[in-house]
Amino acid sequence: MTKEQTPTTPETAGPRPRRLTYAAVLTALEGLGLAVGGVWVLVLGLAGDPDDRQQAVTLGVTLIVLALLPLLAARGLFAQRSWSRGPSVITQILALPVAYSLLQADSIAIPAGIAIAGAAIATLVLLINQETTQALGIRGPGNAPDQR
């Protein structure tokens, strides 16, 4: 493992910046939202009368499994692990098309689209912030130590 990939340990980590904490909280909330949505769809699929029970159960299980990515990323961000920024950024990028499609609906889904878009953009800004990057021990291009 190279020095850039070595995760930060609690002994060597400095205090967690507030921006990193906010990004971790927003990422965790997105993961919890996915998990709750997945459980809700799964329960409705099993207990209710859906048009296609198999499709409802599959969607519910898929949402619950997808919730693992942001939840694990949030845990890593709280622990200041450098690997955790990637999964969190991926989650935010995937949330943007979902928000866009919700914003195109003529229904009560519009406020959900606004909330998802706001959270995704805010989290992306927090994750690419220089203070967050330094706290996670991520070096930018051209800042790697000379390996001769």
Side-chain angles (χ1 to χ4, degrees):
M1 203 181 257
T2 65
K3 188 171 184 167
E4 296 88 33
Q5 295 172 332
T6 305
T8 316
T9 61
E11 298 84 27
T12 61
R16 184 175 49 244
R18 205 178 306 229
R19 289 181 176 107
L20 181 57
T21 303
Y22 294 155
V25 168
L26 286 171
T27 303
L29 286 174
E30 289 169 341
L32 287 173
L34 277 170
V36 168
V39 169
W40 182 63
V41 169
L42 186 61
V43 168
L44 285 179
L46 292 173
D49 189 26
D51 293 334
D52 186 359
R53 185 175 309 271
Q54 182 180 2
Q55 187 176 12
V57 170
T58 302
L59 176 61
V61 170
T62 301
L63 288 175
I64 292 169
V65 171
L66 285 175
L68 293 175
L69 180 67
L71 291 173
L72 289 172
R75 184 172 183 211
L77 289 172
F78 274 120
Q80 290 183 267
R81 304 287 189 240
S82 60
W83 61 263
S84 61
R85 187 172 85 157
S88 185
V89 168
I90 290 168
T91 300
Q92 308 321 312
I93 292 171
L94 291 174
L96 291 173
V98 172
Y100 180 77
S101 67
L102 291 174
L103 290 171
Q104 299 303 310
D106 285 335
S107 68
I108 196 153
I110 293 175
I114 293 169
I116 291 171
I121 292 169
T123 306
L124 280 171
V125 169
L126 291 168
L127 288 170
I128 61 171
N129 183 281
Q130 183 178 5
E131 187 179 333
T132 302
T133 303
Q134 288 174 348
L136 293 174
I138 299 171
R139 297 184 179 162
N143 291 333
D146 197 15
Q147 298 186 10
R148 292 183 192 187

